[in-house]
C-alpha cells in the first residue's frame, strides 16, 4: 500500500453499498465519521462512530432531538465530537457535553483553507475535516453517487423537501427507513453535479494537506481517488496496527 499511516479515518457515506459492510469491523485503530440520519441504524446494532457530522442546515435541525440524545450520551457511545452547522450548534449550546459540538462556520475561521472549498456536502467535507484533524489516510465507504428521486417526498419551500411517508424501500441509502415520515432535507443534487464538485474539493484538499484518500467502493461513480476492495482495506489496516 505505501504511505499507510495510523490512525486511519473511515468516512461512512450512507449509500446502499454500506449495507455490505459490518460496521463492527471498524476497530479502535480505524476512526469513523458517521452522518446525518444513520443514527437510526446505529441504535439497532449498538454501534456508533468516532465522530458524528451533519453539515446540511436543514437536515441538522430536522434531527435536532436525536443529535441532542447522542450528545448527552457521548461518553457512553464513544462519540468524540459533533460537527454541525451553526444554526444547530447554537441550539445545542446549553445541552450536556455541548463542548463536543464544533460549528463548521467556526472551523472555517480556525482553518482558512476551508474557504477554498465552498461546495459543502457532509461526506466530502467530513473527509476534509478528518485531514485537518491530522488523519493522513482517509478511506471512503458507502459513497455511491447514484441518487434516485424519492417518490414519497413533497416540496415544503424552495429547495426543501419533506418525506411524506416512510418508504418500504429506499434506493438511496443502506437501510430502508433511513428517511422517515416528516424528515426535512434539501433537494440532493439541484441541477448540477453538486456531489462530484464537492468531492473534487476533497481531492484538492488532500493534495494541499498531504493526505491520501482511498475509495473502498469498487462500484462507486466517484472516480477521483484510488480504489481498494473493502476486504483488502481491512487486511491492510490490521497489518498496520
Amino acid at each position: 500500500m505505501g504511505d499507510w499511516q495510523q490512525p486511519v479515518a473511515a468516512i461512512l457515506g450512507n449509500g446502499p453499498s454500506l449495507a455490505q459492510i459490518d460496521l463492527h469491523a471498524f476497530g479502535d485503530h480505524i476512526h469513523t465519521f458517521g452522518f446525518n440520519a444513520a443514527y437510526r441504524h446505529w441504535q439497532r446494532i449498538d454501534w456508533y462512530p468516532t465522530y458524528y457530522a451533519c453539515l446540511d442546515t436543514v437536515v441538522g435541525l430536522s434531527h435536532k432531538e436525536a443529535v441532542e440524545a447522542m450528545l448527552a450520551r457521548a461518553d457512553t457511545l464513544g462519540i468524540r465530537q459533533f460537527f454541525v452547522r451553526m444554526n444547530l450548534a447554537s441550539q445545542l449550546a446549553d445541552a450536556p457535553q455541548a463542548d463536543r459540538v464544533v460549528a463548521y462556520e467556526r472551523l472555517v475561521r480556525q482553518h482558512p483553507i476551508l474557504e477554498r472549498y465552498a461546495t459543502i456536502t457532509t461526506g466530502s467535507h467530513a473527509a476534509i475535516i478528518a485531514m485537518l484533524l491530522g488523519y493522513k489516510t482517509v478511506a471512503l465507504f458507502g459513497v455511491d453517487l447514484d441518487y434516485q428521486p424519492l417518490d414519497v417526498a413533497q416540496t415544503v419551500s424552495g429547495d426543501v423537501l419533506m418525506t411524506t411517508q416512510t418508504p418500504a424501500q429506499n434506493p438511496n441509502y443502506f437501510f430502508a427507513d433511513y428517511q422517515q415520515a416528516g424528515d426535512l432535507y434539501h433537494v440532493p443534487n439541484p441541477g448540477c453535479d453538486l456531489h462530484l464538485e464537492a468531492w473534487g474539493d476533497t481531492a484538492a484538499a488532500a493534495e494541499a494537506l498531504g493526505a491520501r484518500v482511498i475509495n473502498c467502493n469498487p462500484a462507486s461513480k466517484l472516480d477521483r481517488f484510488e480504489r481498494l476492495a473493502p476486504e483488502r482495506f481491512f487486511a491492510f489496516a490490521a497489518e498496520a496496527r
Side-chain angles (χ1 to χ4, degrees):
M1 282 285 293
D3 300 327
W4 187 276
Q5 299 185 36
Q6 296 284 36
V8 175
I11 304 299
L12 305 183
N14 293 323
S17 67
L18 193 66
Q20 303 170 21
I21 305 298
D22 177 8
L23 298 185
H24 292 281
F26 294 100
D28 294 341
H29 59 300
I30 305 171
H31 297 172
T32 51
F33 286 73
F35 309 136
N36 302 341
Y39 65 84
R40 288 169 169 156
H41 181 68
W42 306 337
Q43 289 172 345
R44 294 169 186 156
I45 66 171
D46 191 25
W47 177 94
Y48 286 84
T50 317
Y51 303 96
Y52 174 83
C54 181
L55 301 182
D56 185 297
T57 55
V58 169
V59 174
L61 290 182
S62 184
H63 296 277
K64 173 179 174 287
E65 291 184 3
V67 175
E68 282 181 326
M70 287 189 290
L71 187 60
R73 300 179 58 218
D75 284 330
T76 300
L77 302 179
I79 305 176
R80 296 182 181 181
Q81 289 181 300
F82 294 72
F83 296 97
V84 300
R85 299 301 292 271
M86 183 65 79
N87 66 337
L88 177 56
S90 63
Q91 295 196 29
L92 298 173
D94 295 326
Q97 305 199 61
D99 58 321
R100 295 178 187 257
V101 176
V102 180
Y104 181 79
E105 291 81 355
R106 289 177 179 152
L107 203 60
V108 172
R109 291 198 292 270
Q110 296 170 11
H111 301 280
I113 190 174
L114 286 169
E115 294 177 355
R116 303 180 194 174
Y117 312 122
T119 305
I120 300 173
T121 72
T122 298
S124 64
H125 279 57
I128 299 175
I129 290 171
M131 299 173 203
L132 293 173
L133 291 176
Y135 295 94
K136 294 299 184 182
T137 301
V138 179
L140 311 182
F141 290 82
V143 179
D144 299 359
L145 299 192
D146 190 22
Y147 191 87
Q148 307 296 319
L150 198 62
D151 60 3
V152 292
Q154 68 180 28
T155 300
V156 175
S157 63
D159 62 349
V160 177
L161 303 176
M162 181 179 70
T163 308
T164 55
Q165 65 185 64
T166 303
Q169 297 294 328
N170 194 321
N172 300 310
Y173 298 101
F174 72 103
F175 61 102
D177 59 344
Y178 174 90
Q179 290 172 301
Q180 298 183 8
D183 286 356
L184 299 177
Y185 62 103
H186 277 116
V187 173
N189 209 14
C192 64
D193 288 327
L194 174 73
H195 289 272
L196 285 175
E197 182 178 335
W199 284 107
D201 283 347
T202 305
E207 183 175 358
L209 297 169
R212 180 183 189 184
V213 181
I214 303 166
N215 189 347
C216 294
N217 176 7
S220 173
K221 291 189 175 181
L222 177 62
D223 60 1
R224 299 299 299 265
F225 309 107
E226 62 180 296
R227 295 180 191 257
L228 187 69
E231 59 271 18
R232 293 195 67 202
F233 167 81
F234 286 112
F236 280 121
E239 291 174 3
R241 294 181 70 170

